[in-house]
Amino acid sequence: MIKGITRSGFAFEIAENVMDNMELVDILADDETDMSFRISKITQLVLGKEQKKRFYDHHRTEDGRVPVEEVYEDISEIFQSFKQGKNS
């Protein structure tokens, strides 16, 4: 299990084999679709449905929006955790 906390304060816990998913590879390799349109599916594949909801709620603004840039930054940081084998 990979555990960590992003700079924004989101605590996550993800199975070590989550990256061993061809659907995730397909989404990451898709050069024809802008990353901002792929980030939702990537987030769900990496975090799972329940943790994705908690993740979005963590970033939710007072007016109910979930800023794309904040989500992208934290997902990028979570990906870095896998590369480093982070367990914080």
Side-chain angles (χ1 to χ4, degrees):
M1 200 57 79
I2 301 287
K3 298 178 183 181
I5 300 175
T6 64
R7 281 176 271 188
S8 74
F10 179 74
F12 62 90
E13 186 173 306
I14 302 169
E16 291 181 24
N17 67 350
V18 77
M19 295 297 184
D20 185 21
N21 182 342
M22 200 59 215
E23 290 178 327
L24 181 59
V25 172
D26 287 343
I27 292 168
L28 293 170
D30 181 4
D31 287 337
E32 295 178 17
T33 306
D34 187 293
M35 179 61 85
S36 59
F37 294 112
R38 294 181 279 158
I39 197 72
S40 176
K41 185 67 174 172
I42 291 168
T43 302
Q44 182 146 338
L45 287 172
V46 172
L47 297 178
K49 197 174 198 175
E50 292 175 20
Q51 199 167 203
K52 177 185 173 185
K53 180 181 178 346
R54 191 170 57 81
F55 181 66
Y56 279 12
D57 288 344
H58 172 78
H59 288 287
R60 195 169 307 284
T61 63
E62 287 183 19
D63 64 358
R65 293 178 308 104
V66 179
V68 174
E69 187 63 30
E70 289 182 20
V71 168
Y72 182 78
E73 287 174 11
D74 267 9
I75 284 295
S76 296
E77 195 172 330
I78 290 169
F79 268 79
Q80 287 301 316
S81 297
F82 279 96
K83 287 183 181 176
Q84 299 167 3
K86 185 176 178 180
N87 228 345
S88 345

